[in-house]
Amino acid sequence: MNIDTIQAKLRDFAQERDWEQFHSPKNIAMALNVEAGELLEHFQWLTQQASFDLEPDKKEAVAQEIADVQVYLCRLADLLKIDIEGAVERKMALNEAKYPADMVRGKAKKYTEYR
């Protein structure tokens, strides 16, 4: 399913329930943050290695939270008429410029610390 299809389905879902009245960019951004927190909760207190080795039921719960985050991101972009693919391409180009591979390989500093 591509982003346009997801957004159309989400639009229909909201319309069928008369929820568009609640779907302001502000409210969707807030809901997105709540869902991101729920995703984070699954990893709280895990070691680095344990975060890779999730039990199947935990992995499915994480998948559901990832889906919730994606749903709200798609809905927010749709409401604001933001082309997600274009925004991602532009951001990746900016990140490539801020983090040249030959300069940052194997390091985890913020780009401002390399200049």
Side-chain angles (χ1 to χ4, degrees):
M1 195 177 341
N2 69 32
I3 291 171
D4 291 335
T5 302
I6 293 169
Q7 288 176 320
K9 286 182 178 244
L10 293 172
R11 227 177 290 124
D12 291 345
F13 185 86
Q15 288 171 352
E16 289 169 356
R17 288 154 182 80
D18 192 26
W19 285 356
E20 287 186 308
Q21 61 185 314
F22 309 116
H23 285 193
S24 67
K26 176 197 78 76
N27 287 350
I28 297 297
M30 290 172 69
L32 169 61
N33 193 41
V34 170
E35 294 302 336
E38 290 177 7
L39 173 61
L40 183 60
E41 200 172 20
H42 288 287
F43 296 97
Q44 188 176 17
W45 312 121
L46 295 182
T47 65
Q48 294 281 11
Q49 187 55 49
S51 71
F52 284 102
D53 300 326
L54 301 176
E55 296 292 328
D57 60 328
K58 177 70 105 173
K59 193 170 186 176
E60 178 56 27
V62 167
Q64 293 295 315
E65 297 304 341
I66 289 171
D68 284 340
V69 168
Q70 184 65 37
V71 161
Y72 282 120
L73 282 173
C74 285
R75 187 72 175 127
L76 181 59
D78 188 39
L79 290 169
L80 294 174
K81 307 293 188 247
I82 292 172
D83 169 25
I84 294 174
E85 291 177 12
V88 168
E89 287 175 2
R90 290 189 304 277
K91 184 60 178 179
M92 288 177 70
L94 288 171
N95 285 344
E96 287 176 5
K98 289 195 299 191
Y99 296 98
D102 60 334
M103 183 186 300
V104 304
R105 185 170 286 107
K107 301 173 187 167
K109 296 178 183 177
K110 186 173 178 173
Y111 71 94
T112 55
E113 298 180 56
Y114 293 108
R115 307 279 173 211

